[in-house]
Amino acid sequence: MVPPQAGPAQAVAGAPAAGLEELRRQAAQVLLGNWTGASTVPSPALYPHQWSWDSAFIAIGLRHLSPERAQRELETLLAAQWADGRIPHIVFNPAVPLGAYFPSPDFWRSSTAGRAAGAPAEVETSGIVQPPVHALAAWLVHRSDPDASRRRGFLERAWPALVAWHDYLLRRRDFGGQGLAAVLHPWEPGMDNSPCWDEPLERVEPAPAGSFRRADLGHGDRADRPTDLDYGRYVALAAHYRDHGYRDAGTEHAFVVEDPGFNALLALSEHALAAIAGELGQDAAPHRSRARRLTAALVERLWDEEAGLFLCRDVRTGALVRDRSVTGLLPLALPSLPGPVAQALVRTMTGPHFGLGTACGLVPSYDLRGRAFDASRYWRGPAWFNVNWLLERGLRQHGEAGLADALEQAVLAFAGGSGFAEYVDPHTGQARGATGFSWTAAVVLDLLARTGPAAKAGAQAGTATGAAAAVAEAGG
């Protein structure tokens, strides 16, 4: 493994408290700088609006600076929920020019095209969704300051929205009829450009090249981004969904995939809903039962013993997609995953296909030996910090403390050494995409909050005098 580029922020567990505090200060500055007053943008230039699963991870980190601001992050997102229960993957800021991001609000036309599905009239959003990490985030935010959360009624207000969100996914999106939620667009599972989507996308006729303008290429290297052909297919799928009123039934969807990571996060958030139910005096049993059923359906539908991980299923053909992606490792985060399956996932993660601890410091997004591996191109090989945060939790939960510690330290080192990059080369830690990326800073703050006694002491001192004071000056 080649270490990440050296830098002053490259602090890891066991480093002096001053070095950890500098890393913490830098991470806090990223989140403070990307705050808009009601939510946090992932990246001011590349992603200038609010993104759904980004905000969930951001809230998880933000809770260590200001639990109230973390609550507001989630509340702003939930305020844009549609009446059918979906939480849209983008909530648009009307102050941002239309040309700053594509697809922009005038493409999605949510308040008109989505009216029958219950899109809000007062705010423009996209019409697709992203992975359901929100209940987990809400529970962790509550736990960071339960008294303040109770005073504000945070969980009481979030509860019905989160329940409706999960109901939408399990009742409207079970296209396979086997208890798993399906995604209808490659952007929905969050791993936009994964090679797992190549085969299902082949049946999609792309939008003509001159019919849209890619704003992303103005902020990143073309070699790191999806191809024009892939982007044309993304646009065509979204336009078809929009033109059919964002209906999940009654229209033919060209792209219908059961994604293991998406469903693992849904099951994980059902566990969180059970915890929230207990806090609110609600019945937790239905949510525990749902989490068990989702886990069982994942194993039954998507586990592949030969591959050593979970695979995506193309619902249109019924076939498993044979590409190995990091999405197939994410069920490791589930507490009730069968032991032999969890052990096999650890072997796969540390074996030649993902190389954790040998070829790579962080788990790459795609099979190192796969047909489409590219260490630089979006979701086709680079390592992502939110994904590795989830895998660190999974390793720790399933008794792999040594591997979890090493992965935690690598996340901190690669994040600091890359300037809190959006994603990095998994071999070298070289920054890719945007820097100063919000969820990268957020997971660093979360890991630092539990990285050894020295870090905890530094966190307490630094929070009192540094980052939290800056939050207070900014209005909470």
Side-chain angles (χ1 to χ4, degrees):
M1 178 181 68
V2 179
Q5 297 169 337
Q10 198 176 16
V12 296
L20 290 169
E21 182 53 34
E22 174 61 12
L23 182 61
R24 184 179 295 102
R25 186 194 66 78
Q26 293 177 2
Q29 282 304 118
V30 170
L31 291 189
L32 295 175
N34 291 349
W35 173 256
T36 67
S39 63
T40 309
V41 297
S43 164
L46 186 55
Y47 304 107
H49 301 285
Q50 183 178 25
W51 261 257
S52 172
W53 77 321
D54 290 75
S55 276
F57 287 107
I58 288 164
I60 288 169
L62 198 53
R63 68 191 173 120
H64 300 294
L65 303 178
S66 168
E68 182 174 338
R69 185 174 283 191
Q71 293 170 30
R72 288 164 62 191
E73 181 80 38
L74 294 173
E75 289 164 350
T76 300
L77 178 67
L78 295 178
Q81 185 174 31
W82 292 26
D84 64 5
R86 83 183 75 191
I87 296 175
H89 98 295
I90 303 174
V91 180
F92 289 107
N93 180 349
V96 174
L98 290 179
Y101 180 80
F102 179 84
S104 52
D106 58 341
F107 172 88
W108 296 100
R109 303 197 292 271
S110 63
S111 60
T112 53
R115 186 178 297 132
E122 65 280 2
V123 62
E124 294 296 329
T125 75
S126 66
I128 60 174
V129 302
Q130 278 190 322
V133 201
H134 312 90
L136 173 64
W139 178 241
L140 293 177
V141 168
H142 165 77
R143 287 182 59 191
S144 65
D145 191 341
D147 291 339
S149 174
R150 291 173 189 134
R151 282 195 304 272
R152 292 189 73 244
F154 169 62
L155 289 182
E156 286 89 344
R157 287 179 285 109
W159 168 258
L162 294 170
V163 170
W165 168 221
H166 288 203
D167 285 349
Y168 166 79
L169 292 173
L170 289 167
R171 294 175 181 174
R172 304 283 190 97
R173 289 297 194 92
D174 185 8
F175 284 90
Q178 301 297 315
L180 296 179
V183 294
L184 303 179
H185 194 289
W187 291 338
E188 291 200 319
M191 301 181 186
D192 306 12
N193 197 37
S194 169
C196 294
W197 318 141
D198 291 354
E199 189 176 329
L201 279 174
E202 286 179 357
R203 55 178 170 259
V204 178
E205 183 67 28
S211 65
F212 60 91
R213 185 188 69 83
R214 295 182 59 179
D216 63 315
L217 296 180
H219 303 285
D221 188 335
R222 180 179 283 273
D224 291 353
R225 306 295 298 175
T227 66
D228 286 342
L229 175 61
D230 286 333
Y231 217 90
R233 287 169 167 155
Y234 303 156
V235 171
L237 281 170
H240 179 270
Y241 198 27
R242 176 201 65 203
D243 294 344
H244 288 79
Y246 297 109
R247 294 198 306 272
D248 296 315
T251 185
E252 185 72 10
H253 297 285
F255 183 97
V256 187
V257 174
E258 290 171 348
D259 175 70
F262 190 99
N263 282 280
L265 293 175
L266 180 55
L268 192 62
S269 277
E270 280 291 337
H271 283 292
L273 274 187
I276 294 170
E279 165 71 20
L280 298 179
Q282 303 279 350
D283 185 3
H287 301 288
R288 293 195 189 100
S289 178
R290 264 189 177 181
R292 287 194 299 269
R293 290 198 304 272
L294 277 162
T295 302
L298 271 166
V299 174
E300 177 65 27
R301 288 277 288 174
L302 305 183
W303 172 248
D304 189 277
E305 188 72 36
E306 181 183 356
L309 79 171
F310 293 83
L311 299 176
C312 297
R313 185 179 293 277
D314 185 341
V315 177
R316 288 286 304 275
T317 65
L320 290 172
V321 178
R322 303 311 307 181
D323 286 282
R324 292 177 173 91
S325 162
V326 73
T327 191
L329 299 174
L330 286 183
L332 187 66
L334 293 172
S336 54
L337 196 68
V341 174
Q343 292 160 16
L345 289 175
V346 174
R347 289 195 297 272
T348 300
M349 192 185 307
T350 56
H353 293 286
F354 290 92
L356 178 64
T358 53
C360 300
L362 298 179
V363 180
S365 52
Y366 180 67
D367 183 357
L368 296 171
R369 297 184 170 185
R371 60 174 180 84
F373 177 80
D374 185 329
S376 300
R377 195 178 287 276
Y378 209 60
W379 290 109
R380 299 177 85 84
W384 294 72
F385 292 94
N386 63 324
V387 168
N388 277 269
W389 179 87
L390 287 163
L391 293 174
E392 186 271 343
R393 287 173 64 91
L395 286 168
R396 204 169 296 284
Q397 185 163 237
H398 290 283
E400 298 288 348
L403 279 172
D405 288 344
L407 183 54
E408 176 185 275
Q409 293 178 34
V411 167
L412 298 178
F414 278 67
S418 68
F420 303 94
E422 182 181 0
Y423 49 99
V424 295
D425 182 307
H427 302 295
T428 67
Q430 182 178 354
R432 297 291 180 185
T435 54
F437 203 74
S438 290
W439 74 20
T440 303
V443 301
V444 164
L445 287 171
D446 192 62
L447 292 176
L448 285 174
R450 53 184 174 85
T451 304
K456 287 183 172 60
Q460 291 167 0
T463 297
T465 60
V471 171
E473 290 171 7

